[in-house]
Amino acid sequence: ARLAIFGSDVLVVRSISTHQSDVDALLANVIGWRILAALTLYVVFATTVFLVSPGAILMGVVVIMGVGVLFQVVGDAYISLAHGHERVDLGGYVQMLCSGVGVAMMLTAIFCGFGLRGVAVAYSLRSLLYFVCGIVLSFHLKHPVCPALDFRVIGAALHKGAPIAGSRLVAVVYLGAGLLVLERLCGPELAGAFAGPMKIFEACCALGMLTAMAAFPTVSRLRKESEHDLRGVVLALVGLIAWVGLPICMLVALNAGALLGVLFGAELSGQGPLLALLMSAVPFSFMYVLVERLAYAAHDQRRVLIIRVIGTVISVAVLLATVVRLESYGAALALLSGELAMFLMFLPRWSTYAVGAPVWRTALPGVLSSGVAFSLAAFGPCRGSLGSTAVFVLALLLGVAICLVWRQHQRGRCG
């Protein structure tokens, strides 16, 4: 699916939101390319699986799910159309509907004893529903599109989308290296113990990614139409990270052991410090995904790929240097190193992407307030999840109140 999409979703959203004249030709050929690529990859993948492992069950699952991948990647193009029209809400409704129906069909297949083939059918039917909803959305937005195959247009789109696709493929290596190396060098038990905290880390990072994706069409349009409004949107997103994203990370870190125990069982509750270390990387991920989307809006996708590759190399190097001695903590430290490195490499470009917005002045009050609140909660006299959480929330609310009073005082002086 990633190879068939090949970064074209970003190109479609950017082209529609900035009202480029060739957007209909681009979208039609993106859909045509995805159909062609998905069918080709389907045949190649099915043939490879048959040659490597000609088992009847695996082959059947691959054949069934390949059809689902085709519906998924084509339907995703129509959802990108809705995002480009700044109707991210419609895309979200479709995602929730299809996810709910897909889970229901998957559970039905499992409980009715249909096995892996049943799960594969559930996935493909869910993808078919996603495809149909995407087409319905295109008519609702009065922007229906039929597939086309103009290889000049496709070639230009693939050339622009290659850095985006490369960055996403490298991200798979970046996020998966820790579990793989842990399993190979330290055993499956340690890898399993790391998987729980890693899932929470990925879920928290997804909050930042989804927020940045939702803002991307607006950011792209404002970069072309109004730098003043773009600065306002960027500052609002930075404020959201500083005042909401960062406190959420700190709350998860404060309650890490209890959270792991509730989600994965008491045997993982002792991995609280590991989750807390992982959560220290999430704020850097929030900032990275925001500046990544700002870079895409500025047509600077090659820099994103270069920084992602360098960050991945740094992360893997730290992983290999520390995993034998530090085990799971080495894998967490590798992720922190990678996120921090990518954040720092993007620092010189912030003023360019954000067109001079005072990003750091906006973020500083939230960062300081959250830092003080976390210090009081983690090292103060009230220990335990409930007590530390209460101290953190109260101290953070006090910080919010102080900042609001200070801002009002500054406005009064300016008036």
Side-chain angles (χ1 to χ4, degrees):
R2 289 175 183 269
L3 287 172
I5 292 173
F6 210 74
S8 58
D9 54 330
V10 171
L11 303 182
V12 167
V13 171
R14 188 172 65 193
S15 298
I16 296 175
S17 61
T18 54
H19 310 293
Q20 294 185 14
S21 58
D22 61 344
V23 64
D24 288 335
L26 173 65
L27 183 55
N29 282 280
V30 161
I31 294 174
W33 155 257
R34 290 190 185 192
I35 294 173
L36 180 63
L39 287 173
T40 303
L41 291 167
Y42 180 23
V43 173
V44 171
F45 187 52
T47 303
T48 303
V49 170
F50 175 76
L51 294 174
V52 173
S53 180
I57 295 178
L58 178 60
M59 192 65 199
V61 169
V62 169
V63 169
I64 295 169
M65 292 189 71
V67 177
V69 169
L70 174 62
F71 287 130
Q72 176 73 25
V73 298
V74 177
D76 182 76
Y78 289 101
I79 300 301
S80 296
L81 186 153
H83 289 177
H85 284 285
E86 299 186 53
R87 293 305 309 270
V88 181
D89 56 328
L90 296 178
Y93 295 144
V94 170
Q95 292 279 7
M96 288 189 289
L97 171 65
C98 294
S99 295
V101 171
V103 169
M105 290 191 296
M106 180 192 70
L107 292 175
T108 300
I110 292 173
F111 287 116
C112 290
F114 294 122
L116 289 176
R117 286 196 182 95
V119 173
V121 170
Y123 167 76
S124 293
L125 290 176
R126 174 243 177 235
S127 298
L128 175 61
L129 176 62
Y130 188 69
F131 169 73
V132 172
C133 289
I135 293 178
V136 171
L137 272 186
S138 70
F139 281 96
H140 174 73
L141 295 168
K142 298 181 175 57
H143 200 157
V145 181
C146 293
L149 282 176
D150 184 336
F151 287 99
R152 290 177 299 176
V153 177
I154 291 174
L158 294 181
H159 178 72
K160 293 179 181 178
I164 302 170
S167 179
R168 289 173 174 174
L169 292 173
V170 172
V172 174
V173 177
Y174 172 74
L175 291 174
L179 276 173
L180 178 62
V181 172
L182 268 176
E183 182 179 4
R184 297 293 183 183
L185 298 183
C186 302
E189 292 81 9
L190 280 173
F194 181 70
M198 185 64 186
K199 284 298 178 184
I200 297 177
F201 168 81
E202 291 176 352
C204 290
C205 289
L207 294 175
M209 176 59 75
L210 292 173
T211 302
M213 288 175 60
F216 177 59
T218 302
V219 167
S220 297
R221 174 176 59 82
L222 292 179
R223 184 169 187 85
K224 181 179 180 181
E225 296 179 356
S226 172
E227 290 187 352
H228 177 269
D229 291 338
L230 174 59
R231 283 193 290 270
V233 170
V234 171
L235 292 180
L237 291 170
V238 170
L240 185 67
I241 292 172
W243 288 105
V244 179
L246 183 58
I248 288 175
C249 296
M250 291 181 174
L251 278 174
V252 172
L254 287 171
N255 298 279
L259 183 61
L260 286 169
V262 170
L263 293 178
F264 301 108
E267 63 273 14
L268 278 188
S269 60
Q271 298 294 325
L274 175 63
L275 177 56
L277 179 59
L278 283 171
M279 293 311 299
S280 67
V282 176
F284 298 112
S285 174
F286 286 165
M287 295 298 286
Y288 170 80
V289 296
L290 172 57
V291 74
E292 177 189 74
R293 292 289 155 166
L294 292 173
Y296 287 157
H299 297 253
D300 200 11
Q301 50 261 31
R302 289 187 179 182
R303 188 181 301 273
V304 174
L305 174 59
I306 292 170
I307 289 178
R308 172 64 79 176
V309 169
I310 295 173
T312 300
V313 170
I314 292 173
S315 178
V316 172
V318 172
L319 175 66
L320 295 175
T322 61
V323 70
V324 174
R325 186 171 70 257
L326 300 179
E327 298 178 340
S328 298
Y329 289 91
L333 185 62
L335 282 172
L336 174 59
S337 301
E339 297 291 350
L340 179 59
M342 292 186 291
F343 168 75
L344 292 175
M345 282 186 284
F346 262 127
L347 275 183
R349 302 293 296 177
W350 265 104
S351 60
T352 301
Y353 297 147
V355 290
V359 171
W360 311 118
R361 190 172 67 193
T362 301
L364 188 59
V367 172
L368 290 177
S369 298
S370 298
V372 171
F374 182 81
S375 299
L376 292 174
F379 306 109
C382 296
R383 299 297 175 87
S385 296
L386 185 60
S388 60
T389 299
V391 170
F392 178 81
V393 171
L394 291 174
L396 185 63
L397 290 176
L398 179 61
V400 172
I402 292 173
C403 289
L404 289 176
V405 170
W406 175 257
R407 179 175 295 181
Q408 192 66 30
H409 173 69
Q410 292 296 104
R411 287 178 178 174
R413 289 182 59 186
C414 293

